[in-house]
Amino acid sequence: MTTAERAHEFTDQPIFVAGFGVATDHPYLHEKSTFVGLPATTAAAERAYAMAGVGPADIDMAEVHDCFTITEILDIEDLGFVEKGKGGPASLAGETALDGRIPINPSGGLLAKGHPIGATGVAQLTECWWQLREEAGERQVAIRSGIRACRHNVGGRGSGVAVVNILTRHRT
């Protein structure tokens, strides 16, 4: 990792951070405003998209925090990839598959790795890096003209903190 100005000293295929967002929510369940999403994810995504000057439709693939199966469904809704309440049907229809409209967790996700707490964010960033460089092998997704990846991670009791990164092959 280095500055955008120095990236070409180390590689001819740098990946740049185009945007990031961090947000918090109430950590305790009795304080939550909803149980079908994470407001911190929505707020962090809005900040990351605004900084990158893009929206959910401009993203080619995403690595999202799927600590539980339902979490991936809620995440893709909160990140704006599908309408609220449509995450399950979209996943069943193949929209989130490797060859789908918005590939989600081509790495297999956190559960496939045993969810190594503390290392999950780095693993997600690495997968986005491989995908954007088109070096992901059999997991490679089609990188469209947008050439952007989204990385989302949460933490804290009741997922009180969310971080979203937008990565790109083009310096912005």
Side-chain angles (χ1 to χ4, degrees):
M1 185 173 271
T2 188
T3 64
E5 293 76 26
R6 294 197 61 202
H8 286 289
E9 293 177 34
F10 304 99
T11 181
D12 60 353
Q13 285 186 286
I15 302 301
F16 302 96
V17 177
F20 67 90
V22 178
T24 60
D25 188 23
H26 296 287
Y28 299 106
L29 291 177
H30 72 279
E31 296 175 324
K32 295 287 185 192
S33 61
T34 181
F35 294 108
V36 292
L38 299 175
T41 293
T42 302
E46 289 171 357
R47 292 172 182 156
Y49 293 145
M51 181 181 283
V54 301
D58 299 309
I59 303 299
D60 293 319
M61 58 78 57
E63 281 285 312
V64 304
H65 193 94
D66 64 340
C67 52
F68 303 100
T69 304
I70 188 63
T71 311
E72 179 178 318
I73 293 169
L74 298 177
D75 292 344
I76 63 174
E77 295 174 357
D78 290 342
L79 291 164
F81 298 134
V82 298
E83 289 180 47
K84 204 68 172 155
K86 305 287 185 184
S91 296
L92 288 172
E95 290 186 42
T96 61
L98 286 177
D99 61 352
R101 177 181 61 80
I102 177 68
I104 302 294
N105 291 347
S107 69
L110 306 183
L111 293 176
K113 297 177 188 69
H115 190 3
I117 296 174
T120 57
V122 172
Q124 290 174 314
L125 285 169
T126 302
E127 181 66 22
C128 290
W129 183 78
W130 281 325
Q131 290 290 339
L132 289 174
R133 289 173 52 104
E134 299 187 67
E135 297 176 352
E138 63 188 30
R139 294 185 321 279
Q140 184 63 53
V141 302
I143 301 298
R144 301 181 315 263
S145 60
I147 314 170
R148 292 181 191 92
C150 176
R151 195 281 302 195
H152 161 260
N153 207 337
V154 299
R157 270 182 307 227
S159 298
V161 178
V163 177
V164 175
N165 301 103
I166 307 298
L167 306 173
T168 182
R169 293 197 306 209
H170 298 299
R171 185 173 175 184
T172 56

